[in-house]
């Protein structure tokens, strides 16, 4: 895949350089008459992409009388789409019709004059859209054989025979509680544990052979009021935290494979330790302390640090890995890192993801893409999920899965999707009920192109 891209890019650059050279020559009057070679057009990315065509455009070439467009389904132009072998035009663009849906096409153009032809432009590619929705041909968990495919769930979705239940059993091999395994739910008032919701999740998973990732033991946004406004001493506060972690890990020993021990301890942008009731009362090394409490309670459970914007906020990324390095140097037990991956259709780039992922692998840790959703409307510029945005979302998910799948098996853990259906995503209320479609299933439990993107990323 990478080789193909580099190759295309190389051709494109060469074509571009060639044109630039010619344009420069053309600026000098005395050279024009002597210059017998036509420059190549620079070809633009296709626009107006539909299931049966697209628009190609290119730059005007000095001294050209017209242009010839080639379209092929292979990069080497061994054969041509009927009607598009040296398709002649005097315009600088061409509306292309009659193509197959969901198909990858390559295109290039050259300039022609009465006496000669230019070299070809660079080669670009475009994929036509699928006319109908994608078909469910394979279940996610059956294709991902080296890691879990997880879903964030709520206990009231798990009724036997519900649509959620059906999809979960078919498609997903792991669950995370969307919010019901957090401290404000499990210990809402001091000393009173309410296991009803977390037990429901764990019992469902156990009964159905599904893995459970525990999320999250310590998070400043889910601290119960009694602990947030704690009136005891700092030592007593720390003991409360230790007792809580110990109680939870003891209850779910052997049933919950892994826990996010601390969620979101690092500030955005400046990478400092976030000031929370935990840092204030236990010191900035509260993260390390919590990991040790967890390990003391359960020697076998996998312990993760979890945070967001890890691939895109470089200062934060450095701070997180600094925190991890300090923990590893001091023999604080940590097994893995969760990148939440609340991302967008146009960000992060593959390079950004690879850079961050490599840092996890370098440290011998497991990686969890722990809360994946892909916003298609971050700029609020669409009012329905357009076909183009759906494809962009599909491509981003594919990239995410490809990057993840490429790491060594021993560093893999799970990719967890943060919610089943588009209309139930936390993003809708978080961003004041705007239009968003960030998940793999639509409102009617139908799979989206994003789902196909996940499967394609595994190939
Ligand atoms: C953060 C938390 C999650 C969840 C989301 C919003 O990412 O880690 O537990 O609360 O916010 O759903």
């Amino acid at each position: 895949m990478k080789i193909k891209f580099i190759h295309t890019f190389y051709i494109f650059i060469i074509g571009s350089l060639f044109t630039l050279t010619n344009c420069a020559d053309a600026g000098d009057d005395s050279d024009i008459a002597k210059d017998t070679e036509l420059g190549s057009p620079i070809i633009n990315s296709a626009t107006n992409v539909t299931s049966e065509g697209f628009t190609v455009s290119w730059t005007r070439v000095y001294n050209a009388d017209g242009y010839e467009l080639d379209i092929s389904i292979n990069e080497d132009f061994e054969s041509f789409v009927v009607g598009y072998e040296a398709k002649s035009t005097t315009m600088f663009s061409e509306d292309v019709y009659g193509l197959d849906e969901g198909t990858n096409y390559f295109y290039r153009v050259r300039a022609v004059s009465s006496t000669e032809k230019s070299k070809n432009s660079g080669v670009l590619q475009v994929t036509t859209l699928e006319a109908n929705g994608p078909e469910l041909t394979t279940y996610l968990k059956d294709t991902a054989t080296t890691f879990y495919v997880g879903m964030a769930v709520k206990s009231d979705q798990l009724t036997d025979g519900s649509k959620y239940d059906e999809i979960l059993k078919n498609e997903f091999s792991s669950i995370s509680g969307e919010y019901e395994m957090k401290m404000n739910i499990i210990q809402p008032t001091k000393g009173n544990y309410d296991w009803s919701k977390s037990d429901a999740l764990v019992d469902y998973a156990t009964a159905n052979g599904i893995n459970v990732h525990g999320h999250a033991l310590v998070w400043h946004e889910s601290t119960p009021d009694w602990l947030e406004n704690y009136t005891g001493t700092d030592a007593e506060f720390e003991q409360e935290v230790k007792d809580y972690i110990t109680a939870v890990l003891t209850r779910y020993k052997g049933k919950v494979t892994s826990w996010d021990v601390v969620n979101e301890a690092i500030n955005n942008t400046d990478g400092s330790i976030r000031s929370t009731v935990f840092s204030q009362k236990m010191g900035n090394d509260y993260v390390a302390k919590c990991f040790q409490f967890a390990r003391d309670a359960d020697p076998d459970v996998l312990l993760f640090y979890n945070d967001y914007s890890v691939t895109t906020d470089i200062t934060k990324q450095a701070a997180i890995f600094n925190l991890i390095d300090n923990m590893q140097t001091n023999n604080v037990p940590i097994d893995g890192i969760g990148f939440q991956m609340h991302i967008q259709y146009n960000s992060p780039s593959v390079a950004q993801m690879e850079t961050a992922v490599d840092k996890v692998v370098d440290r011998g840790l497991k990686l969890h893409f722990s809360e994946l959703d892909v916003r298609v409307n971050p700029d609020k510029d669409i009012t329905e999920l357009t076909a183009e945005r759906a494809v962009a979302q599909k491509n981003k998910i594919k990239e995410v899965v490809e990057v993840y799948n490429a790491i060594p098996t021993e560093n893999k853990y799970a990719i967890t999707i943060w919610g089943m259906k588009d209309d139930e995503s936390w993003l809708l209320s978080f961003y004041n009920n705007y239009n968003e479609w960030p998940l793999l299933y639509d409102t009617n439990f139908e799979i989206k192109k994003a789902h196909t993107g996940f499967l394609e990323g595994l190939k």
Side-chain angles (χ1 to χ4, degrees), residues 177-178 182 215 219 263-264 306 308 340 342 371 418 426:
E178 185 166 346
K182 292 173 180 169
H215 172 79
W219 183 36
N263 193 31
E264 302 179 357
N306 195 53
Y308 65 100
Q340 291 184 5
H342 297 297
E371 304 180 18
W418 207 246
W426 69 286

Side-chain angles (χ1 to χ4, degrees), residues 227-246:
L227 194 66
E228 183 73 39
N229 305 314
Y230 199 69
T231 48
T233 65
D234 290 356
E236 286 164 347
F237 179 95
E238 187 167 320
Q239 189 63 42
E240 297 282 7
V241 173
K242 181 176 182 183
D243 289 348
Y244 174 77
I245 291 175
T246 308

Side-chain angles (χ1 to χ4, degrees), residues 148 151 153 173-177 181 198-207 209-215 252 254-260 301-302 304 368 413 416:
Y148 294 119
M151 171 55 63
V153 297
S173 47
S174 180
I175 56 171
S176 298
M181 294 179 81
S198 49
D199 277 0
L201 301 186
V202 174
D203 291 349
Y204 175 84
T206 307
I210 295 174
N211 180 69
V212 185
H213 172 69
H215 172 79
Y252 295 123
K255 292 183 174 171
V256 172
T257 310
S258 53
W259 277 96
D260 291 329
V301 72
L302 296 173
F304 281 79
H368 185 191
Y413 181 61
T416 298

Side-chain angles (χ1 to χ4, degrees), residues 90-103:
T90 54
M91 317 287 281
F92 310 126
S93 70
E94 178 79 15
D95 293 324
V96 182
Y97 299 105
L99 303 181
D100 292 333
E101 61 172 293
T103 305

Side-chain angles (χ1 to χ4, degrees), residues 285-296:
D285 60 344
Y286 83 91
V287 178
K289 288 179 180 173
C290 291
F291 274 79
Q292 193 61 57
F293 298 156
R295 175 57 73 238
D296 292 346

